[in-house]
Amino acid sequence: MRNGNVAMELKVGKFKPENVSKMEFYLEGLDRQVKKPEENPSVGLLLCASKNDEVVEYAMSRTLSPMMVSQYQLQLPDKAVLSRKLQELASLPELVASSDE
């Protein structure tokens, strides 16, 4: 299980490259002001109304901050789809490895 802080930002509009540097600023603040010595570095999550995967890739190509960008939906997917996605997420190797520690 992860031991650290998460910064989340909800964008009403589309993803813009400058969102990455703003999130890096927030993460640095969390790590300097809030993070305890035994905690992992803070992680950022940008939720945007829309995104272009190529623009996201270019914007994040040189960042060292642990950050994810995702597009949100205004309606939840079908219950079966949501359940399947949660099962897929739970079986990711990095999650399985960290839960064994």
Side-chain angles (χ1 to χ4, degrees):
M1 185 161 216
R2 183 172 207 304
N3 185 16
N5 301 298
V6 178
M8 293 175 40
E9 186 170 3
L10 179 64
K11 296 291 187 183
V12 182
K14 67 179 183 177
F15 171 82
K16 296 177 184 173
E18 54 266 26
N19 298 147
V20 172
S21 59
K22 193 173 189 183
M23 180 58 76
E24 287 178 325
F25 178 79
Y26 298 151
L27 294 176
E28 186 64 27
L30 275 174
D31 284 347
R32 287 187 185 198
Q33 301 293 321
V34 178
K35 179 181 160 295
K36 297 177 181 132
E38 67 277 4
E39 290 180 329
N40 292 315
S42 300
V43 173
L45 176 60
L46 282 166
L47 296 172
C48 304
S50 63
K51 68 180 177 96
N52 177 302
D53 290 336
E54 189 172 14
V55 173
V56 171
E57 182 181 336
Y58 273 58
M60 294 185 58
S61 66
R62 295 182 185 243
T63 185
L64 299 176
S65 299
M67 187 182 324
M68 296 185 324
V69 176
S70 188
Q71 183 174 325
Y72 62 83
Q73 297 178 343
L74 296 177
Q75 295 179 344
L76 285 175
D78 179 88
K79 187 176 180 178
V81 172
L82 190 56
S83 178
R84 187 176 72 245
K85 291 292 184 184
L86 286 172
Q87 290 298 323
E88 289 172 12
L89 180 63
S91 66
L92 288 175
E94 58 269 8
L95 291 178
V96 173
S98 65
S99 66
D100 291 341
E101 295 174 359

Coordinates of all heavy atoms in Angstrom, one line a residue:
M1 N 0.8 -1.2 0.0 CA 0.0 0.0 0.0 C 0.9 1.2 0.0 O 1.9 1.3 0.6 CB -0.9 0.0 1.2 CG -1.9 1.1 1.3 SD -3.2 0.6 2.4 CE -4.5 1.3 1.6
R2 N 0.4 2.3 -0.7 CA 1.2 3.5 -0.8 C 1.1 4.3 0.4 O 0.1 4.5 1.0 CB 0.6 4.3 -2.0 CG 1.5 5.5 -2.2 CD 1.1 6.3 -3.5 NE 2.1 7.0 -4.0 CZ 2.8 7.9 -3.4 NH1 2.6 8.2 -2.1 NH2 3.8 8.6 -4.0
N3 N 2.3 4.8 0.8 CA 2.4 5.7 2.0 C 2.9 7.0 1.6 O 4.1 7.2 1.4 CB 3.3 5.1 3.1 CG 3.3 5.9 4.3 OD1 2.4 6.7 4.6 ND2 4.3 5.6 5.2
G4 N 2.0 8.0 1.3 CA 2.4 9.3 0.8 C 1.2 10.2 0.5 O 0.1 9.8 0.7
N5 N 1.5 11.3 -0.1 CA 0.4 12.3 -0.4 C 0.1 12.2 -1.9 O 0.9 11.9 -2.7 CB 0.9 13.7 0.0 CG 1.3 13.8 1.4 OD1 0.4 13.6 2.3 ND2 2.5 14.1 1.8
V6 N -1.1 12.6 -2.2 CA -1.6 12.7 -3.6 C -2.2 14.0 -3.8 O -3.1 14.5 -3.0 CB -2.6 11.6 -3.9 CG1 -3.1 11.7 -5.3 CG2 -2.0 10.2 -3.6
A7 N -1.8 14.7 -4.8 CA -2.4 16.0 -5.2 C -3.3 15.7 -6.4 O -2.8 15.2 -7.4 CB -1.3 17.0 -5.5
M8 N -4.5 16.1 -6.3 CA -5.5 15.9 -7.4 C -6.0 17.3 -7.9 O -6.3 18.1 -7.0 CB -6.6 15.0 -7.0 CG -6.2 13.6 -6.7 SD -7.5 12.5 -6.0 CE -8.9 12.9 -7.0
E9 N -6.0 17.5 -9.2 CA -6.6 18.7 -9.7 C -7.6 18.3 -10.8 O -7.3 17.6 -11.7 CB -5.5 19.6 -10.3 CG -6.0 20.9 -10.7 CD -4.9 21.9 -11.1 OE1 -3.7 21.5 -11.1 OE2 -5.2 23.0 -11.4
L10 N -8.8 18.9 -10.7 CA -9.8 18.7 -11.7 C -9.9 19.9 -12.6 O -10.1 21.0 -12.2 CB -11.2 18.5 -10.9 CG -12.4 18.3 -11.8 CD1 -12.3 17.0 -12.6 CD2 -13.7 18.2 -10.9
K11 N -9.7 19.6 -13.9 CA -9.7 20.6 -14.9 C -11.0 20.6 -15.7 O -11.4 19.5 -16.2 CB -8.6 20.5 -15.9 CG -7.2 20.6 -15.3 CD -7.0 22.1 -14.9 CE -5.6 22.3 -14.4 NZ -5.4 23.7 -14.0
V12 N -11.8 21.7 -15.7 CA -13.0 21.7 -16.4 C -12.8 21.6 -18.0 O -13.7 21.1 -18.7 CB -13.8 22.9 -16.1 CG1 -15.2 23.0 -16.7 CG2 -14.0 23.0 -14.5
G13 N -11.7 22.1 -18.4 CA -11.4 22.1 -19.8 C -10.4 21.0 -20.2 O -10.2 20.1 -19.5
K14 N -9.9 21.2 -21.4 CA -8.9 20.2 -21.9 C -7.5 20.3 -21.3 O -7.2 21.4 -20.7 CB -8.8 20.3 -23.5 CG -8.1 21.5 -23.9 CD -8.0 21.5 -25.5 CE -7.3 22.8 -25.9 NZ -7.1 22.8 -27.3
F15 N -6.8 19.2 -21.4 CA -5.4 19.3 -20.8 C -4.6 20.3 -21.6 O -4.6 20.3 -22.8 CB -4.8 17.9 -21.0 CG -3.3 17.8 -20.6 CD1 -2.9 17.8 -19.3 CD2 -2.4 17.9 -21.6 CE1 -1.5 17.8 -19.0 CE2 -1.0 17.9 -21.3 CZ -0.6 17.8 -20.0
K16 N -3.7 21.0 -20.9 CA -2.8 21.9 -21.5 C -1.4 21.6 -20.9 O -1.3 21.2 -19.8 CB -3.1 23.4 -21.1 CG -4.5 23.8 -21.7 CD -4.8 25.2 -21.2 CE -6.1 25.7 -21.7 NZ -6.5 26.9 -21.1
P17 N -0.3 21.7 -21.7 CA 1.0 21.4 -21.3 C 1.4 22.1 -20.0 O 2.1 21.5 -19.2 CB 1.9 21.8 -22.5 CG 1.0 21.6 -23.6 CD -0.3 22.1 -23.2
E18 N 1.0 23.3 -19.8 CA 1.4 24.1 -18.6 C 0.8 23.5 -17.3 O 1.2 23.8 -16.2 CB 1.0 25.6 -18.7 CG -0.4 25.8 -19.1 CD -0.7 26.0 -20.6 OE1 0.0 25.5 -21.4 OE2 -1.7 26.7 -20.9
N19 N -0.2 22.6 -17.5 CA -0.8 21.9 -16.3 C 0.2 21.1 -15.6 O 0.2 20.9 -14.4 CB -2.0 21.0 -16.7 CG -3.2 21.8 -17.3 OD1 -3.9 21.3 -18.1 ND2 -3.4 23.0 -16.9
V20 N 1.2 20.5 -16.4 CA 2.2 19.7 -15.8 C 3.1 20.5 -14.8 O 3.4 20.1 -13.7 CB 3.1 19.0 -16.9 CG1 4.3 18.3 -16.3 CG2 2.2 18.0 -17.7
S21 N 3.6 21.7 -15.3 CA 4.5 22.5 -14.4 C 3.8 23.0 -13.2 O 4.4 23.1 -12.1 CB 5.1 23.6 -15.2 OG 4.1 24.5 -15.7
K22 N 2.5 23.3 -13.3 CA 1.7 23.7 -12.2 C 1.6 22.6 -11.1 O 1.8 22.8 -9.9 CB 0.3 24.1 -12.6 CG -0.5 24.9 -11.6 CD -1.7 25.4 -12.2 CE -2.5 26.4 -11.3 NZ -3.7 26.8 -11.9
M23 N 1.4 21.3 -11.6 CA 1.3 20.2 -10.7 C 2.6 19.9 -10.1 O 2.7 19.6 -8.9 CB 0.8 18.9 -11.5 CG 0.7 17.7 -10.6 SD -0.4 17.8 -9.2 CE -2.0 17.8 -9.9
E24 N 3.7 20.1 -10.8 CA 5.1 19.9 -10.3 C 5.3 20.8 -9.1 O 5.9 20.5 -8.1 CB 6.1 20.0 -11.3 CG 6.2 18.9 -12.3 CD 7.2 19.1 -13.4 OE1 7.4 20.2 -13.8 OE2 7.8 18.1 -13.8
F25 N 4.8 22.1 -9.3 CA 4.9 23.1 -8.2 C 4.1 22.6 -7.0 O 4.6 22.7 -5.8 CB 4.3 24.4 -8.7 CG 4.3 25.5 -7.7 CD1 5.5 26.2 -7.4 CD2 3.1 25.8 -7.0 CE1 5.5 27.2 -6.4 CE2 3.1 26.9 -6.1 CZ 4.3 27.5 -5.8
Y26 N 2.9 22.1 -7.1 CA 2.1 21.6 -6.0 C 2.8 20.4 -5.3 O 2.9 20.3 -4.1 CB 0.8 21.1 -6.5 CG -0.1 22.2 -7.1 CD1 -1.1 21.8 -8.0 CD2 0.0 23.5 -6.7 CE1 -1.9 22.8 -8.6 CE2 -0.9 24.5 -7.2 CZ -1.8 24.1 -8.2 OH -2.6 25.1 -8.7
L27 N 3.4 19.5 -6.1 CA 4.1 18.3 -5.6 C 5.3 18.7 -4.8 O 5.6 18.1 -3.7 CB 4.4 17.3 -6.7 CG 3.2 16.7 -7.4 CD1 3.7 15.8 -8.6 CD2 2.4 15.9 -6.5
E28 N 6.0 19.7 -5.3 CA 7.2 20.2 -4.6 C 6.8 20.8 -3.2 O 7.5 20.5 -2.2 CB 8.0 21.2 -5.4 CG 9.3 21.6 -4.8 CD 10.3 20.5 -4.7 OE1 10.3 19.5 -5.5 OE2 11.2 20.6 -3.8
G29 N 5.7 21.5 -3.2 CA 5.2 22.1 -2.0 C 4.8 21.0 -1.0 O 5.1 21.1 0.2
L30 N 4.1 20.0 -1.5 CA 3.7 18.9 -0.6 C 4.9 18.2 0.0 O 5.0 17.9 1.2 CB 2.9 17.9 -1.4 CG 1.4 18.2 -1.5 CD1 0.7 17.1 -2.4 CD2 0.7 18.1 -0.1
D31 N 5.9 17.9 -0.9 CA 7.1 17.2 -0.4 C 7.9 18.0 0.6 O 8.5 17.5 1.6 CB 8.0 16.8 -1.6 CG 7.4 15.6 -2.3 OD1 6.5 14.9 -1.8 OD2 7.8 15.3 -3.4
R32 N 8.0 19.3 0.4 CA 8.8 20.2 1.3 C 8.0 20.5 2.6 O 8.6 20.6 3.7 CB 9.2 21.5 0.7 CG 10.2 21.3 -0.4 CD 10.7 22.6 -0.9 NE 11.6 22.5 -2.0 CZ 12.4 23.5 -2.4 NH1 12.4 24.6 -1.8 NH2 13.3 23.3 -3.4
Q33 N 6.7 20.7 2.5 CA 6.0 21.2 3.7 C 5.1 20.2 4.4 O 4.9 20.4 5.6 CB 5.0 22.3 3.2 CG 5.7 23.5 2.5 CD 6.6 24.3 3.5 OE1 6.2 24.5 4.6 NE2 7.7 24.7 3.0
V34 N 4.7 19.1 3.8 CA 3.8 18.2 4.4 C 4.4 16.8 4.6 O 4.1 16.1 5.6 CB 2.5 18.1 3.5 CG1 1.5 17.1 4.1 CG2 1.8 19.5 3.4
K35 N 5.1 16.3 3.6 CA 5.7 14.9 3.6 C 6.5 14.7 4.8 O 7.4 15.4 5.2 CB 6.5 14.7 2.3 CG 7.1 13.4 2.2 CD 7.9 13.3 0.9 CE 8.9 12.2 0.8 NZ 10.0 12.4 1.8
K36 N 6.3 13.5 5.4 CA 7.1 13.0 6.5 C 8.3 12.2 5.9 O 8.2 11.7 4.8 CB 6.2 12.1 7.4 CG 5.1 12.9 8.1 CD 4.2 12.0 8.9 CE 3.1 12.8 9.5 NZ 1.8 12.2 9.3
P37 N 9.4 12.2 6.7 CA 10.6 11.5 6.2 C 10.4 10.1 5.7 O 11.0 9.6 4.7 CB 11.5 11.5 7.3 CG 11.1 12.7 8.2 CD 9.6 12.7 8.0
E38 N 9.5 9.3 6.4 CA 9.2 7.9 6.0 C 8.3 7.7 4.9 O 8.1 6.6 4.4 CB 8.8 7.1 7.2 CG 7.4 7.5 7.7 CD 7.3 8.7 8.7 OE1 8.3 9.4 8.9 OE2 6.2 9.0 9.1
E39 N 7.7 8.8 4.4 CA 6.7 8.7 3.3 C 7.3 8.7 1.9 O 8.4 9.3 1.7 CB 5.7 9.8 3.4 CG 4.7 9.7 4.5 CD 3.7 10.9 4.6 OE1 4.0 12.0 4.2 OE2 2.6 10.6 5.1
N40 N 6.6 8.2 0.9 CA 7.1 8.2 -0.5 C 6.9 9.6 -1.0 O 6.1 10.4 -0.5 CB 6.3 7.2 -1.3 CG 6.6 5.8 -0.9 OD1 7.7 5.4 -0.8 ND2 5.5 5.0 -0.8
P41 N 7.5 9.9 -2.1 CA 7.3 11.2 -2.8 C 5.8 11.4 -3.2 O 5.1 10.4 -3.5 CB 8.2 11.2 -4.0 CG 9.2 10.2 -3.7 CD 8.6 9.2 -2.8
S42 N 5.3 12.6 -3.1 CA 4.0 12.9 -3.5 C 3.7 12.6 -4.9 O 4.6 12.7 -5.8 CB 3.6 14.4 -3.2 OG 3.8 14.6 -1.8
V43 N 2.5 12.2 -5.2 CA 2.0 11.8 -6.6 C 0.9 12.8 -7.0 O 0.1 13.2 -6.2 CB 1.5 10.4 -6.6 CG1 0.9 10.0 -7.9 CG2 2.6 9.4 -6.2
G44 N 1.0 13.2 -8.3 CA 0.0 14.1 -8.8 C -1.0 13.4 -9.8 O -0.6 12.5 -10.5
L45 N -2.2 13.8 -9.7 CA -3.3 13.3 -10.6 C -4.0 14.4 -11.2 O -4.7 15.2 -10.5 CB -4.2 12.3 -9.9 CG -5.4 11.8 -10.7 CD1 -4.9 11.0 -11.9 CD2 -6.3 10.9 -9.8
L46 N -3.9 14.6 -12.5 CA -4.7 15.6 -13.3 C -5.8 15.0 -14.0 O -5.7 14.1 -14.8 CB -3.8 16.3 -14.3 CG -2.8 17.3 -13.9 CD1 -1.8 17.6 -15.0 CD2 -3.5 18.6 -13.5
L47 N -7.0 15.4 -13.6 CA -8.3 14.9 -14.3 C -8.8 16.0 -15.2 O -9.1 17.1 -14.7 CB -9.3 14.5 -13.2 CG -8.9 13.3 -12.3 CD1 -9.9 13.2 -11.2 CD2 -8.8 12.1 -13.1
C48 N -8.9 15.7 -16.5 CA -9.3 16.8 -17.4 C -10.5 16.3 -18.2 O -10.8 15.1 -18.3 CB -8.2 17.0 -18.4 SG -6.6 17.4 -17.7
A49 N -11.3 17.3 -18.6 CA -12.5 17.0 -19.4 C -12.1 16.3 -20.7 O -12.9 15.5 -21.2 CB -13.3 18.3 -19.7
S50 N -11.0 16.7 -21.3 CA -10.5 16.0 -22.5 C -9.0 16.1 -22.6 O -8.4 17.0 -21.9 CB -11.1 16.7 -23.8 OG -10.7 18.0 -23.9
K51 N -8.4 15.3 -23.4 CA -6.9 15.3 -23.5 C -6.5 14.7 -24.8 O -7.3 13.8 -25.4 CB -6.2 14.5 -22.4 CG -6.5 13.0 -22.4 CD -5.8 12.4 -21.2 CE -6.1 10.9 -21.2 NZ -5.1 10.1 -21.8
N52 N -5.4 15.1 -25.3 CA -4.8 14.5 -26.5 C -3.6 13.7 -26.0 O -2.7 14.3 -25.4 CB -4.4 15.6 -27.5 CG -3.7 15.1 -28.7 OD1 -2.7 14.4 -28.6 ND2 -4.2 15.4 -29.9
D53 N -3.6 12.4 -26.2 CA -2.5 11.6 -25.7 C -1.1 12.0 -26.1 O -0.2 12.0 -25.4 CB -2.8 10.1 -26.1 CG -3.9 9.5 -25.3 OD1 -4.3 10.0 -24.3 OD2 -4.5 8.5 -25.8
E54 N -1.0 12.5 -27.4 CA 0.3 12.9 -27.9 C 0.8 14.2 -27.2 O 1.9 14.3 -26.8 CB 0.2 13.2 -29.4 CG 1.6 13.4 -30.0 CD 1.6 13.4 -31.5 OE1 0.5 13.5 -32.1 OE2 2.6 13.3 -32.1
V55 N -0.1 15.1 -26.9 CA 0.2 16.3 -26.2 C 0.6 16.0 -24.8 O 1.6 16.5 -24.2 CB -1.0 17.3 -26.2 CG1 -0.7 18.5 -25.3 CG2 -1.3 17.8 -27.6
V56 N -0.1 15.1 -24.1 CA 0.2 14.6 -22.8 C 1.6 14.0 -22.7 O 2.4 14.3 -21.9 CB -0.8 13.7 -22.2 CG1 -0.4 13.1 -20.9 CG2 -2.2 14.4 -22.0
E57 N 1.9 13.2 -23.7 CA 3.2 12.5 -23.8 C 4.3 13.5 -23.9 O 5.3 13.4 -23.3 CB 3.2 11.5 -25.0 CG 4.5 10.7 -25.1 CD 4.5 9.8 -26.2 OE1 3.4 9.4 -26.7 OE2 5.6 9.4 -26.7
Y58 N 4.2 14.5 -24.8 CA 5.2 15.5 -25.0 C 5.4 16.3 -23.7 O 6.5 16.6 -23.3 CB 4.8 16.4 -26.2 CG 5.2 16.0 -27.5 CD1 4.8 14.7 -28.0 CD2 6.0 16.8 -28.3 CE1 5.2 14.3 -29.3 CE2 6.4 16.4 -29.6 CZ 6.0 15.1 -30.1 OH 6.4 14.7 -31.3
A59 N 4.3 16.7 -23.1 CA 4.3 17.6 -21.9 C 5.0 16.9 -20.8 O 5.7 17.5 -20.0 CB 2.9 18.0 -21.5
M60 N 4.8 15.5 -20.7 CA 5.4 14.8 -19.5 C 6.7 14.1 -19.8 O 7.3 13.5 -18.9 CB 4.3 13.8 -19.0 CG 3.1 14.5 -18.5 SD 1.9 13.4 -17.8 CE 2.9 12.6 -16.5
S61 N 7.2 14.2 -21.0 CA 8.4 13.4 -21.4 C 9.6 13.7 -20.6 O 10.5 12.8 -20.4 CB 8.7 13.6 -22.9 OG 9.1 15.0 -23.2
R62 N 9.8 14.9 -20.0 CA 11.0 15.2 -19.3 C 10.8 15.4 -17.8 O 11.7 15.7 -17.1 CB 11.6 16.5 -19.9 CG 12.1 16.2 -21.3 CD 12.8 17.4 -21.8 NE 13.2 17.2 -23.2 CZ 14.4 17.2 -23.6 NH1 15.4 17.4 -22.8 NH2 14.7 17.0 -24.9
T63 N 9.5 15.2 -17.4 CA 9.3 15.4 -16.0 C 9.7 14.2 -15.1 O 9.6 13.1 -15.6 CB 7.8 15.7 -15.7 OG1 7.6 16.0 -14.3 CG2 6.9 14.5 -16.0
L64 N 10.2 14.5 -14.0 CA 10.7 13.4 -13.1 C 9.6 13.2 -12.0 O 9.7 12.2 -11.2 CB 12.0 13.8 -12.4 CG 13.2 14.0 -13.4 CD1 14.4 14.4 -12.7 CD2 13.4 12.7 -14.2
S65 N 8.6 14.0 -11.9 CA 7.6 13.9 -10.9 C 6.6 12.8 -11.2 O 6.2 12.6 -12.3 CB 6.8 15.2 -10.8 OG 7.6 16.3 -10.4
P66 N 6.3 12.0 -10.2 CA 5.3 10.9 -10.4 C 3.9 11.6 -10.6 O 3.4 12.2 -9.7 CB 5.4 10.1 -9.1 CG 6.0 11.0 -8.1 CD 6.8 12.0 -8.8
M67 N 3.4 11.5 -11.8 CA 2.2 12.1 -12.2 C 1.4 11.4 -13.2 O 2.0 10.7 -14.1 CB 2.5 13.5 -12.7 CG 1.4 14.5 -13.0 SD 2.0 16.1 -13.7 CE 3.5 16.4 -12.9
M68 N 0.1 11.5 -13.2 CA -0.8 10.8 -14.2 C -1.8 11.9 -14.7 O -2.2 12.7 -13.9 CB -1.5 9.6 -13.6 CG -0.6 8.5 -13.2 SD -1.4 7.0 -12.6 CE -2.8 7.5 -11.8
V69 N -2.1 11.7 -15.9 CA -3.2 12.6 -16.5 C -4.3 11.6 -17.1 O -4.0 10.7 -17.8 CB -2.6 13.4 -17.7 CG1 -3.7 14.2 -18.3 CG2 -1.5 14.3 -17.2
S70 N -5.5 12.0 -16.7 CA -6.6 11.1 -17.2 C -7.8 12.0 -17.6 O -7.9 13.2 -17.1 CB -7.0 10.1 -16.1 OG -8.0 9.2 -16.7
Q71 N -8.6 11.5 -18.4 CA -9.8 12.2 -18.8 C -11.0 11.6 -18.0 O -11.1 10.4 -17.9 CB -10.0 11.9 -20.3 CG -11.2 12.6 -20.9 CD -11.3 12.4 -22.4 OE1 -10.3 12.3 -23.1 NE2 -12.5 12.3 -22.9
Y72 N -11.8 12.5 -17.5 CA -12.9 12.0 -16.7 C -14.2 11.9 -17.5 O -14.2 12.5 -18.6 CB -13.1 12.9 -15.4 CG -13.5 14.3 -15.7 CD1 -14.8 14.7 -16.0 CD2 -12.5 15.3 -15.6 CE1 -15.1 16.1 -16.2 CE2 -12.8 16.7 -15.9 CZ -14.1 17.0 -16.2 OH -14.4 18.3 -16.4
Q73 N -15.1 11.2 -17.0 CA -16.4 11.0 -17.6 C -17.5 11.6 -16.7 O -17.3 11.5 -15.5 CB -16.7 9.5 -17.9 CG -15.7 8.8 -18.8 CD -16.0 7.4 -19.0 OE1 -16.7 6.8 -18.2 NE2 -15.4 6.8 -20.0
L74 N -18.5 12.1 -17.4 CA -19.6 12.7 -16.6 C -20.6 11.6 -16.1 O -21.4 11.8 -15.3 CB -20.3 13.7 -17.4 CG -19.4 14.9 -17.7 CD1 -20.2 15.9 -18.6 CD2 -18.9 15.6 -16.5
Q75 N -20.5 10.4 -16.7 CA -21.3 9.3 -16.3 C -20.4 8.1 -16.0 O -19.4 7.9 -16.7 CB -22.3 8.9 -17.3 CG -23.4 10.0 -17.6 CD -24.4 9.6 -18.7 OE1 -24.1 8.6 -19.4 NE2 -25.5 10.3 -18.8
L76 N -20.8 7.3 -15.0 CA -20.0 6.1 -14.8 C -20.2 5.0 -15.9 O -21.4 5.0 -16.4 CB -20.4 5.5 -13.4 CG -19.9 6.2 -12.2 CD1 -20.4 5.5 -10.9 CD2 -18.4 6.1 -12.1
P77 N -19.3 4.2 -16.2 CA -19.5 3.2 -17.2 C -20.4 2.1 -16.6 O -20.6 2.1 -15.4 CB -18.1 2.6 -17.5 CG -17.2 3.1 -16.3 CD -17.9 4.3 -15.8
D78 N -20.8 1.2 -17.4 CA -21.6 0.1 -17.0 C -20.9 -0.7 -15.8 O -19.7 -0.8 -15.8 CB -21.8 -0.9 -18.2 CG -22.6 -2.1 -17.9 OD1 -23.8 -2.0 -18.0 OD2 -22.0 -3.1 -17.5
K79 N -21.7 -1.2 -14.9 CA -21.2 -1.8 -13.7 C -20.2 -3.0 -14.1 O -19.2 -3.1 -13.4 CB -22.3 -2.4 -12.9 CG -21.9 -2.9 -11.5 CD -23.1 -3.3 -10.7 CE -22.6 -3.9 -9.4 NZ -23.7 -4.3 -8.5
A80 N -20.5 -3.8 -15.1 CA -19.6 -4.9 -15.5 C -18.3 -4.4 -16.0 O -17.2 -4.9 -15.7 CB -20.3 -5.7 -16.6
V81 N -18.3 -3.3 -16.8 CA -17.1 -2.7 -17.3 C -16.2 -2.2 -16.2 O -15.0 -2.4 -16.1 CB -17.4 -1.6 -18.3 CG1 -16.1 -0.8 -18.7 CG2 -18.1 -2.1 -19.6
L82 N -16.9 -1.5 -15.2 CA -16.2 -0.9 -14.1 C -15.5 -2.0 -13.3 O -14.4 -1.9 -12.8 CB -17.1 -0.1 -13.3 CG -16.6 0.8 -12.1 CD1 -15.5 1.7 -12.6 CD2 -17.6 1.5 -11.4
S83 N -16.3 -3.1 -13.0 CA -15.8 -4.2 -12.3 C -14.6 -4.8 -12.9 O -13.5 -5.1 -12.3 CB -16.9 -5.2 -12.1 OG -16.4 -6.3 -11.4
R84 N -14.6 -5.0 -14.3 CA -13.5 -5.6 -15.0 C -12.3 -4.7 -14.9 O -11.2 -5.2 -14.7 CB -13.9 -5.8 -16.5 CG -12.9 -6.6 -17.3 CD -13.4 -6.9 -18.7 NE -13.4 -5.7 -19.5 CZ -14.5 -5.1 -20.0 NH1 -15.7 -5.7 -19.8 NH2 -14.4 -4.0 -20.7
K85 N -12.5 -3.4 -15.1 CA -11.3 -2.5 -15.0 C -10.7 -2.5 -13.6 O -9.4 -2.4 -13.5 CB -11.8 -1.1 -15.4 CG -12.2 -0.9 -16.8 CD -11.0 -1.0 -17.7 CE -11.3 -0.7 -19.2 NZ -10.2 -0.9 -20.1
L86 N -11.5 -2.6 -12.6 CA -10.9 -2.6 -11.2 C -10.1 -3.9 -11.0 O -9.1 -3.9 -10.4 CB -12.0 -2.5 -10.2 CG -12.6 -1.2 -10.0 CD1 -13.9 -1.2 -9.1 CD2 -11.6 -0.2 -9.5
Q87 N -10.6 -5.0 -11.6 CA -9.8 -6.3 -11.5 C -8.5 -6.2 -12.3 O -7.5 -6.7 -11.8 CB -10.7 -7.4 -12.1 CG -11.9 -7.8 -11.2 CD -11.5 -8.3 -9.8 OE1 -10.5 -9.0 -9.7 NE2 -12.3 -7.9 -8.9
E88 N -8.5 -5.5 -13.4 CA -7.3 -5.3 -14.2 C -6.3 -4.5 -13.4 O -5.1 -4.8 -13.4 CB -7.6 -4.7 -15.5 CG -8.3 -5.5 -16.5 CD -8.8 -4.8 -17.8 OE1 -8.4 -3.6 -18.0 OE2 -9.6 -5.3 -18.5
L89 N -6.8 -3.4 -12.8 CA -6.0 -2.5 -12.0 C -5.3 -3.3 -10.8 O -4.1 -3.2 -10.5 CB -6.7 -1.3 -11.5 CG -6.0 -0.3 -10.7 CD1 -4.9 0.3 -11.5 CD2 -6.9 0.8 -10.2
A90 N -6.1 -4.1 -10.2 CA -5.6 -4.8 -9.0 C -4.6 -5.9 -9.4 O -3.8 -6.3 -8.5 CB -6.8 -5.5 -8.3
S91 N -4.5 -6.3 -10.6 CA -3.6 -7.3 -11.0 C -2.3 -6.8 -11.7 O -1.5 -7.5 -12.1 CB -4.2 -8.3 -12.0 OG -4.6 -7.7 -13.2
L92 N -2.2 -5.4 -11.7 CA -0.9 -4.9 -12.3 C 0.3 -5.3 -11.5 O 0.2 -5.3 -10.3 CB -1.0 -3.3 -12.3 CG -2.0 -2.7 -13.3 CD1 -2.1 -1.2 -13.1 CD2 -1.6 -3.0 -14.7
P93 N 1.4 -5.7 -12.2 CA 2.5 -6.2 -11.4 C 3.1 -5.2 -10.4 O 3.4 -5.7 -9.3 CB 3.6 -6.4 -12.6 CG 2.8 -6.5 -13.8 CD 1.5 -5.7 -13.6
E94 N 3.2 -3.9 -10.6 CA 3.7 -3.0 -9.6 C 2.9 -2.9 -8.4 O 3.3 -2.7 -7.3 CB 4.0 -1.6 -10.2 CG 2.8 -0.9 -10.8 CD 2.6 -1.2 -12.3 OE1 3.3 -2.0 -12.9 OE2 1.8 -0.5 -12.9
L95 N 1.5 -3.1 -8.6 CA 0.7 -3.1 -7.4 C 0.8 -4.4 -6.6 O 0.8 -4.4 -5.4 CB -0.8 -2.8 -7.8 CG -1.1 -1.4 -8.4 CD1 -2.5 -1.3 -8.8 CD2 -0.8 -0.4 -7.3
V96 N 0.9 -5.5 -7.3 CA 1.0 -6.8 -6.6 C 2.3 -6.8 -5.9 O 2.3 -7.3 -4.7 CB 0.9 -7.9 -7.7 CG1 1.2 -9.2 -7.0 CG2 -0.5 -7.9 -8.3
A97 N 3.4 -6.4 -6.5 CA 4.7 -6.4 -5.9 C 4.7 -5.5 -4.6 O 5.3 -5.9 -3.6 CB 5.8 -6.0 -6.8
S98 N 4.1 -4.3 -4.7 CA 4.2 -3.4 -3.5 C 3.3 -3.9 -2.4 O 3.6 -3.6 -1.2 CB 3.8 -2.0 -3.9 OG 2.5 -2.0 -4.4
S99 N 2.3 -4.7 -2.7 CA 1.4 -5.1 -1.6 C 2.0 -6.3 -0.9 O 1.6 -6.7 0.2 CB 0.0 -5.5 -2.2 OG 0.1 -6.6 -3.0
D100 N 3.0 -7.0 -1.5 CA 3.6 -8.1 -0.9 C 4.7 -7.7 0.1 O 5.1 -8.5 0.9 CB 4.3 -9.0 -2.0 CG 3.3 -9.7 -2.9 OD1 2.2 -9.8 -2.5 OD2 3.7 -10.1 -4.0
E101 N 5.1 -6.5 0.1 CA 6.1 -6.0 1.0 C 5.6 -5.8 2.4 O 4.6 -5.6 2.7 CB 6.7 -4.7 0.5 CG 7.4 -4.9 -0.9 CD 7.8 -3.6 -1.5 OE1 7.6 -2.5 -0.9 OE2 8.5 -3.6 -2.5

